[in-house]
Amino acid sequence: MSWAKILDCGDAPLTFLDNTVALKQLEKAHKVVSGRKAKNPSKSQTPRIIAFGGDHTTTLPALRSAASRWGKVSVIHFDSHLDTWDPKVLGGGITQYIPKGDLRNDVRCGFDMIKARDIDRIGVDGVIKKIKERVQDTNVYISVDIDVLDPAFAPATGTAEVGGWTTRELLSILDGLEDLNVVGADVVEVAPIYDNPGETTVLAAAEVVHSLLTLMVQKPVTST
Ligand SMILES: [Mn+2]
């Protein structure tokens, strides 16, 4: 579509010395794009951003930034992990598995869940239908942790989990989300240093980004 312009905004400056400062840096960097309004709302679109991780922490400041521009946003979160663990329960561990209370906190955060194996029961169309029923016509932020794919399709990630989706399944689901008001997105947890010589993971990630971009281009959204 001719109206869309795509711009590489480069890397966000990020300290590794202090997580709190790092989160603020990322939010500030995100706002370089999401802080802008459409120059002329009748003729141009509000800038939207797709961020690349980094680990999944990068989604939190991106969401804060997106919310400051768009107000309430629905989050569609593709991941083999919940990522909603209560920090008080989790303590200092980053990948520590806490069986009790995990789901309780996920529900408290407002998430509904579609499990990886549900796709065998309800199919790609069933997954798309459930997502669309959930978010309806709200503004949507899509976060894709590449570990939602099976390690056969995305080995280059920090916490791979077997039994995930194929790349084709994920792409078909993303493409099925056309008509949603996608106001922001990210692809995270890609660790190219772990990739194989065929670069399976980065190829998958690039195609996921392409699908996300297509969703944004197909459905212009303008903020007030
Ligand atoms: Mn994950």
Side-chain angles (χ1 to χ4, degrees):
M1 292 198 187
S2 59
W3 67 264
K5 282 184 191 163
I6 298 168
L7 183 69
D8 180 358
C9 297
D11 296 335
L14 187 66
T15 180
F16 57 89
L17 298 171
D18 186 322
N19 285 350
T20 312
V21 174
L23 288 172
K24 284 182 181 156
Q25 285 180 302
L26 286 171
E27 188 174 341
K28 201 172 169 186
H30 201 273
K31 280 183 176 168
V32 170
V33 176
S34 67
R36 294 168 192 238
K37 288 186 175 179
K39 278 186 186 153
N40 181 347
S42 63
K43 290 184 182 168
S44 61
Q45 300 297 323
T46 308
R48 288 171 283 171
I49 182 167
I50 300 180
F52 308 147
D55 80 8
H56 219 152
T57 312
T58 58
T59 299
L60 178 61
L63 278 176
R64 285 175 175 155
S65 166
S68 72
R69 157 57 58 223
W70 300 92
K72 209 170 174 182
V73 292
S74 300
V75 178
I76 302 175
H77 174 208
F78 294 96
D79 201 326
S80 282
H81 310 95
L82 294 173
D83 282 18
T84 50
W85 296 289
D86 185 339
K88 291 191 210 86
V89 179
L90 195 59
I94 296 168
T95 57
Q96 183 186 4
Y97 180 62
I98 308 286
K100 284 185 185 170
D102 281 9
L103 292 174
R104 203 162 43 235
N105 203 52
D106 199 57
V107 170
R108 189 185 67 80
C109 290
F111 279 106
D112 200 359
M113 194 190 300
I114 300 167
K115 292 181 180 167
R117 294 186 194 188
D118 288 348
I119 204 168
D120 298 325
R121 197 168 43 80
I122 63 175
V124 165
D125 288 346
V127 173
I128 293 166
K129 187 163 172 271
K130 281 188 98 166
I131 294 172
K132 284 187 164 176
E133 279 171 0
R134 177 74 169 154
V135 303
Q136 298 189 11
D137 62 350
T138 57
N139 287 334
V140 166
Y141 185 99
I142 302 178
S143 182
V144 180
D145 182 328
I146 204 69
D147 71 30
V148 74
L149 298 178
D150 190 271
F153 301 91
T157 190
T159 43
E161 303 285 352
V162 296
W165 288 345
T166 67
T167 309
R168 188 185 67 247
E169 286 166 342
L170 177 61
L171 293 173
S172 294
I173 290 163
L174 287 174
D175 291 349
L177 299 181
E178 56 186 350
D179 302 329
L180 295 190
N181 304 314
V182 182
V183 300
D186 61 47
V187 180
V188 299
E189 300 285 354
V190 177
I193 199 167
Y194 300 146
D195 218 354
N196 56 35
E199 299 187 310
T200 309
T201 316
V202 295
L203 285 172
E207 204 55 38
V208 167
V209 171
H210 183 243
S211 284
L212 292 169
L213 267 177
T214 305
L215 290 177
M216 287 183 171
V217 173
Q218 280 172 334
K219 182 78 189 283
V221 187
T222 303
S223 70
T224 51

